[in-house]
Amino acid sequence: MFGKMIIEGCLILLAVCLVEGEDCSLPCDCPSEVPPCPLGTSLVLDGCGCCKVCARQAGDPCSGLEPCDHHKELYCDYRILSDTETGICMAREGATCDLGGVIYRSGETFQPSCKHQCICMNGEIGCVPTCSNDVRLPSPDCPSPRRVKIPGKCCEDWVCGQDQGDDPFQAAMAVYREVPAYGQELESPRDNCIVQTTEWSECSKSCGMGISERVTNDNEQCQLEKQSRMCMIRPCDAPQEKSIKKGKKCVRTPKSQKAMRFELSGCTSTRAYKPKFCGVCTDGRCCTPHTTGTTEVEFKCPEGDTFLKKMMFIRTCSCHHDCPRDNDIFLSTHHRRMTGDYEN
């Protein structure tokens, strides 16, 4: 373990030396337009911290000025090639992913179908759609828009065709009948919407940063959509057993004594927080969130970009014997209702 830390330290020093070897003393001369990157590729600063470039991916050649995608925990390994100024982007050690019997390395990107681009991150698979999910409303020029499959194309396209037997005049007039007389406001789909929202799912990780999801139609279109929020039940490196008081068997909802910043894909929260966590027990019980709240947290990346992410904040936890065990294939049956979840 100690030898591994020394090797990683030497690689970092080598990368720093190579960057300093590049000419970073000149003023920044960046293109006026940000380079377009392929889907799933991060936009990062070059080795001089000057211009934004498309990050190198796993297996790509890299250098001091052409960094690897640190959001995917890739690093430039200079030991593979004889040229010390050029390396290969490699993924840091992490759990592999199994999808349909195919094993993917941590940090590896892949396309299980033409409609999705996915990445394996330490045993977890995340995907983004490659096809547009836009909605086209009827209009006088296109009264009956619909998606159709185009031969030779992966994604469906919108066409303005109409079913056989339809009266073009009636189809067009249907658009105008939606416009009320006397300047009244249009009726929104939300006005007659029966809101349905599922409970938040359990956090995907028992320690460290995970994801919780739910499905709701609480939106302007009254359409079902999946929502996600980040969650952290407890830190992975905090020995909570030490905080159990004498004569007690559990510490239920400990609060962070020091302000901390959340980290996500190499980005850090702009604010520091003192969150509550779920504790541990010494009698075999496990502690899980009981009441939670949801708040947007702003993250800032090394490249200067910022983004907002919804995050779960624990208010109270409960300790119980209904604990999912390791490798339990019926993990989803171990569900405990969370009450009083508030959206801040």
Side-chain angles (χ1 to χ4, degrees), residues 192-253:
N192 298 320
C193 183
I194 300 176
V195 176
Q196 303 177 70
T197 304
T198 65
E199 299 172 17
W200 286 104
S201 66
E202 293 182 354
C203 191
S204 61
K205 291 188 177 182
S206 59
C207 72
M209 193 72 78
I211 296 176
S212 175
E213 296 178 331
R214 72 177 179 183
V215 177
T216 182
N217 65 342
D218 189 5
N219 50 59
E220 290 298 329
Q221 292 75 32
C222 191
Q223 294 181 350
L224 288 176
E225 63 178 4
K226 181 182 289 187
Q227 296 180 343
S228 63
R229 64 177 181 177
M230 309 309 298
C231 51
M232 181 183 289
I233 296 180
R234 62 184 60 86
C236 291
D237 55 354
Q240 294 179 319
E241 293 84 356
K242 295 181 179 180
S243 58
I244 299 178
K245 295 181 179 179
K246 188 176 181 180
K248 301 291 184 179
K249 296 181 179 180
C250 297
V251 53
R252 189 167 57 182
T253 315

Side-chain angles (χ1 to χ4, degrees), residues 71-98:
H71 293 292
K72 299 176 181 178
E73 297 186 358
L74 301 179
Y75 70 98
C76 195
D77 192 341
Y78 293 94
R79 298 173 297 175
I80 299 178
L81 302 179
S82 58
D83 181 8
T84 56
E85 295 183 358
T86 306
I88 298 294
C89 288
M90 302 291 290
R92 300 189 185 279
E93 292 185 10
T96 58
C97 302
D98 185 348

Side-chain angles (χ1 to χ4, degrees), residues 3 25-26 28 46 51 57 74 85 103 109 131 147 157 168 179 184 195 204 206-207 227 242 248 273 292 299 319 326:
S25 60
L26 298 176
C28 291
D46 59 22
C51 303
Q57 303 302 300
L74 301 179
E85 295 183 358
I103 304 299
T109 57
C131 297
R147 287 182 181 271
D157 283 346
V179 181
Q184 297 178 3
V195 176
S204 61
S206 59
C207 72
Q227 296 180 343
K242 295 181 179 180
K248 301 291 184 179
Y273 298 86
T292 65
F299 289 86
C319 301
D326 292 339

Side-chain angles (χ1 to χ4, degrees), residues 25-335:
S25 60
L26 298 176
C28 291
D29 186 16
C30 304
S32 57
E33 296 184 359
V34 176
C37 299
L39 188 66
T41 300
S42 304
L43 194 64
V44 300
L45 290 175
D46 59 22
C48 292
C50 191
C51 303
K52 290 188 175 182
V53 296
C54 296
R56 298 289 179 162
Q57 303 302 300
D60 291 347
C62 52
S63 65
L65 291 179
E66 296 176 320
C68 301
D69 199 335
H70 64 86
H71 293 292
K72 299 176 181 178
E73 297 186 358
L74 301 179
Y75 70 98
C76 195
D77 192 341
Y78 293 94
R79 298 173 297 175
I80 299 178
L81 302 179
S82 58
D83 181 8
T84 56
E85 295 183 358
T86 306
I88 298 294
C89 288
M90 302 291 290
R92 300 189 185 279
E93 292 185 10
T96 58
C97 302
D98 185 348
L99 181 63
V102 181
I103 304 299
Y104 299 97
R105 302 186 311 274
S106 180
E108 183 177 359
T109 57
F110 57 94
Q111 277 193 273
S113 70
C114 62
K115 293 185 177 182
H116 291 90
Q117 176 89 8
C118 302
I119 180 173
C120 171
M121 288 291 291
N122 195 21
E124 302 287 339
I125 295 177
C127 300
V128 293
T130 57
C131 297
S132 173
N133 197 26
D134 61 329
V135 177
R136 185 167 183 177
L137 300 176
S139 65
D141 296 333
C142 186
S144 302
R146 56 192 176 94
R147 287 182 181 271
V148 296
K149 177 68 176 177
I150 306 297
K153 286 188 176 182
C154 173
C155 303
E156 297 175 337
D157 283 346
W158 285 102
V159 296
C160 294
Q162 47 195 6
D163 297 333
Q164 294 182 354
D166 287 349
D167 186 347
F169 176 76
Q170 292 295 332
M173 288 303 295
V175 178
Y176 292 102
R177 280 199 295 270
E178 294 179 2
V179 181
Y182 310 111
Q184 297 178 3
E185 293 184 359
L186 290 174
E187 186 180 72
S188 169
R190 190 183 182 91
D191 296 337
N192 298 320
C193 183
I194 300 176
V195 176
Q196 303 177 70
T197 304
T198 65
E199 299 172 17
W200 286 104
S201 66
E202 293 182 354
C203 191
S204 61
K205 291 188 177 182
S206 59
C207 72
M209 193 72 78
I211 296 176
S212 175
E213 296 178 331
R214 72 177 179 183
V215 177
T216 182
N217 65 342
D218 189 5
N219 50 59
E220 290 298 329
Q221 292 75 32
C222 191
Q223 294 181 350
L224 288 176
E225 63 178 4
K226 181 182 289 187
Q227 296 180 343
S228 63
R229 64 177 181 177
M230 309 309 298
C231 51
M232 181 183 289
I233 296 180
R234 62 184 60 86
C236 291
D237 55 354
Q240 294 179 319
E241 293 84 356
K242 295 181 179 180
S243 58
I244 299 178
K245 295 181 179 179
K246 188 176 181 180
K248 301 291 184 179
K249 296 181 179 180
C250 297
V251 53
R252 189 167 57 182
T253 315
K255 184 177 181 179
S256 177
Q257 298 299 317
K258 296 181 179 179
M260 60 174 292
R261 297 182 187 271
F262 298 111
E263 293 186 1
L264 179 63
S265 298
C267 307
T268 307
S269 62
T270 55
R271 284 185 54 194
Y273 298 86
K274 284 187 176 182
K276 291 181 179 179
F277 298 115
C278 287
V280 293
C281 296
T282 58
D283 59 357
R285 287 182 291 169
C286 56
C287 302
T288 56
H290 180 61
T291 57
T292 65
T294 305
T295 303
E296 283 193 332
V297 175
E298 184 181 43
F299 289 86
K300 187 173 184 179
C301 302
E303 297 79 34
D305 300 327
T306 60
F307 62 91
L308 293 173
K309 271 287 186 182
K310 288 185 177 181
M311 184 146 185
M312 177 189 80
F313 281 84
I314 295 173
R315 301 190 178 188
T316 61
C317 299
S318 61
C319 301
H320 47 83
H321 288 285
D322 186 17
C323 305
R325 304 301 176 185
D326 292 339
N327 300 320
D328 189 346
I329 62 173
F330 301 107
L331 179 63
S332 59
T333 64
H334 294 271
H335 179 77

